[in-house]
Amino acid sequence: MRTALSAYSEVSSAGKVGSPMLIVIAPADGRVIDTVPAHTPASVRDAVDRLRDNSVLWRSLGVVGRVHWLYSFRNWLQDNRSGLTTLLSLETGKPEIEADAELALTLEALDHYRTNAAEFLGGRMPQASLRPGTAMQLGGRRLRAESGR
């Protein structure tokens, strides 16, 4: 989790205010870890739309394809464990041993989902979206999800 304060970076040579930036601060000692660009609501919507569009491709991979990517992601986490542990420790203020234990749990969770992917993913297609007013089947009874009820 990032602890961040919103700020504006100034472009000294032009005297103009630059893009909004987030300053990532270490909660343990208050030092600046990094600055990262803030995204506009429109850029966030665009990213969400791209992810939503790519979910069709993700589903089309089937169980074997998804397991492959889970395995690749797990291996990347393992290969980068030391740096990720340090970053997690800095950003959360946790001791490195706790940050590493948290990363170990993540790796175990990925192993669990990778091992059981066929059972979890086989033959089921999740609903694209559940919005107020959408009928849903729950416990053998037909219910209607509505706002405020």
Side-chain angles (χ1 to χ4, degrees):
M1 181 166 143
R2 291 185 185 263
T3 303
L5 300 174
S6 183
Y8 289 90
S9 62
E10 292 193 24
V11 179
S12 57
S13 61
K16 297 178 183 177
V17 175
S19 300
M21 300 292 286
L22 297 174
I23 301 172
V24 183
I25 301 192
D29 59 17
R31 71 187 152 116
V32 174
I33 299 171
D34 200 359
T35 56
V36 294
H39 294 282
T40 65
S43 67
V44 171
R45 276 190 300 278
D46 289 344
V48 168
D49 288 342
R50 280 192 313 276
L51 290 169
R52 192 171 284 131
D53 291 343
N54 286 329
S55 70
V56 173
L57 175 61
W58 178 252
R59 282 192 304 268
S60 74
L61 293 175
V63 174
V64 173
R66 291 187 228 177
V67 166
H68 166 78
W69 285 107
L70 285 175
Y71 188 70
S72 295
F73 179 55
R74 185 226 182 273
N75 287 344
W76 183 88
L77 290 174
Q78 183 64 46
D79 292 344
N80 294 280
R81 186 171 183 165
S82 178
L84 290 170
T85 296
T86 300
L87 182 62
L88 186 58
S89 175
L90 283 171
E91 290 187 348
T92 62
K94 293 179 180 182
E96 283 207 16
I97 195 163
E98 287 183 25
D100 188 63
E102 198 167 304
L103 192 53
L105 287 173
T106 301
L107 294 171
E108 287 178 26
L110 282 168
D111 283 338
H112 174 76
Y113 285 106
R114 184 173 50 107
T115 302
N116 296 290
E119 179 184 343
F120 294 154
L121 300 174
R124 291 191 323 189
M125 294 298 257
Q127 292 180 350
S129 172
L130 182 60
R131 298 189 178 150
T134 301
M136 59 183 170
Q137 194 75 22
L138 185 64
R141 297 184 309 154
R142 191 157 178 84
L143 301 176
R144 186 148 185 94
E146 296 183 23
S147 300
R149 288 190 184 186

